[in-house]
Amino acid sequence: MTSRSRILRTRREVVRRHRRERQFLVFGLLIGLLVTVSVIAYAIYQGRIDSPIDYAFVTPPPDFESTITWPCPPVNVGNDADDPEAVHENLPMDPSQVTVRVLNGTKGTPDEQPGLAGSTLEVLTGRGYVGVGATNWSRTYKDSVRIQFGEEGLRQAYTVAANFPNYVMVLDNRRGAVVDIILGQLFRTDKIRPQYAPELDPNVELTAPVQCLPIALVPREPAPRIIPVDPLAPIVTPSPSPSPSPSA
């Protein structure tokens, strides 16, 4: 072997040795760092060391989604049942304080019942409810009774719904407390509960027959284009504007 070959081999060995030394140094530092972090994390987990992070990790809740569309009945306002200021929102209202409109959803179907809305409204007004119209619905309804109302008419809707053994509650985005009663192909006038049925006891709390959600979590359907004027709605009179004071 020539002297030149020996010099090249010696240089390669020196380069390899330096490379191994750098690798040992880097990996040694990394392993030492991981061990240090692990020890500190374990000490924080045991509570022996205070965490440098002073707020909790919180996963933001996802948007609320549910297949339930039935709003729950209202609840009482007031904590003491003997409190005269408490408002018993979970009890039925007096029928004279509930405004209803009856719509016939059977027109154009094999089970069409002419005059169904008028005869049903006559029964309800005979029980004290305030009627504002009986007409045909713009669509057809295949089930029994559909109670449709806005947020302001929740208690009114549950009050009048007790007159029917089978019904569904539909919340829409209307303003006011007028309640629509839509009669479908499965409804017959004789299916209205008798006036003195136990379900119509004014002292029986309003309940939902199915699983329900607070009204704030229930999606709203579009309201009908025309909503009758509610004769029970309070009349808001604009306050008179102050007259300008005469100049001196």
Side-chain angles (χ1 to χ4, degrees):
M1 180 180 297
T2 63
S3 58
R4 181 179 178 81
S5 300
R6 285 196 300 271
I7 293 173
L8 292 176
R9 189 178 66 179
T10 303
R11 288 180 178 176
R12 284 196 295 270
E13 291 176 353
V14 171
V15 171
R16 292 194 193 98
R17 186 170 64 253
H18 288 170
R19 185 181 300 165
R20 285 195 298 270
E21 290 175 354
R22 287 195 300 269
Q23 290 175 348
F24 290 151
L25 179 62
V26 171
F27 285 114
L29 290 175
L30 290 177
I31 294 173
L33 181 61
L34 289 175
V35 171
T36 303
V37 171
S38 300
V39 171
I40 295 175
Y42 185 69
I44 293 175
Y45 175 76
Q46 290 183 326
R48 292 183 294 173
I49 300 177
D50 293 333
S51 173
I53 302 174
D54 57 356
Y55 58 89
F57 292 98
V58 178
T59 302
D63 293 337
F64 180 83
E65 294 183 359
S66 176
T67 57
I68 301 173
T69 59
W70 196 296
C72 291
V75 296
N76 281 345
V77 178
N79 297 324
D80 188 359
D82 299 327
D83 183 3
E85 300 297 329
V87 179
H88 299 284
E89 294 284 351
N90 63 341
L91 292 178
M93 298 178 65
D94 188 280
S96 62
Q97 300 299 316
V98 179
T99 303
V100 296
R101 175 176 63 169
V102 183
L103 304 170
N104 187 351
T106 68
K107 184 179 180 181
T109 67
D111 298 321
E112 181 176 353
Q113 303 177 59
L116 182 62
S119 59
T120 303
L121 182 62
E122 184 178 354
V123 173
L124 293 176
T125 54
R127 297 181 179 184
Y129 293 92
V130 179
V132 289
T135 185
N136 291 320
W137 199 32
S138 58
R139 293 177 285 167
T140 58
Y141 188 54
K142 65 179 181 179
D143 292 326
S144 183
V145 179
R146 172 185 171 115
I147 309 292
Q148 190 162 333
F149 58 98
E151 184 172 356
E152 299 175 38
L154 177 63
R155 189 181 177 195
Q156 290 87 335
Y158 268 97
T159 298
V160 72
N163 291 273
F164 305 99
N166 299 303
Y167 62 91
V168 295
M169 305 286 275
V170 178
L171 178 67
D172 63 26
N173 57 4
R174 75 179 66 191
R175 293 183 178 181
V178 175
V179 178
D180 282 339
I181 304 172
I182 302 164
L183 309 176
Q185 300 177 44
L186 300 182
F187 177 78
R188 297 295 183 272
T189 308
D190 58 1
K191 289 189 176 181
I192 300 179
R193 282 195 173 109
Q195 186 172 0
Y196 299 102
E199 293 82 359
L200 297 177
D201 187 338
N203 297 315
V204 174
E205 294 184 359
L206 301 171
T207 57
V210 296
Q211 191 174 6
C212 62
L213 286 174
I215 192 169
L217 300 178
V218 176
R220 289 157 172 75
E221 292 194 4
R225 185 173 57 89
I226 299 176
I227 302 293
V229 177
D230 186 359
L232 301 178
I235 300 176
V236 180
T237 57
S239 57
S241 57
S243 57
S245 58
S247 59

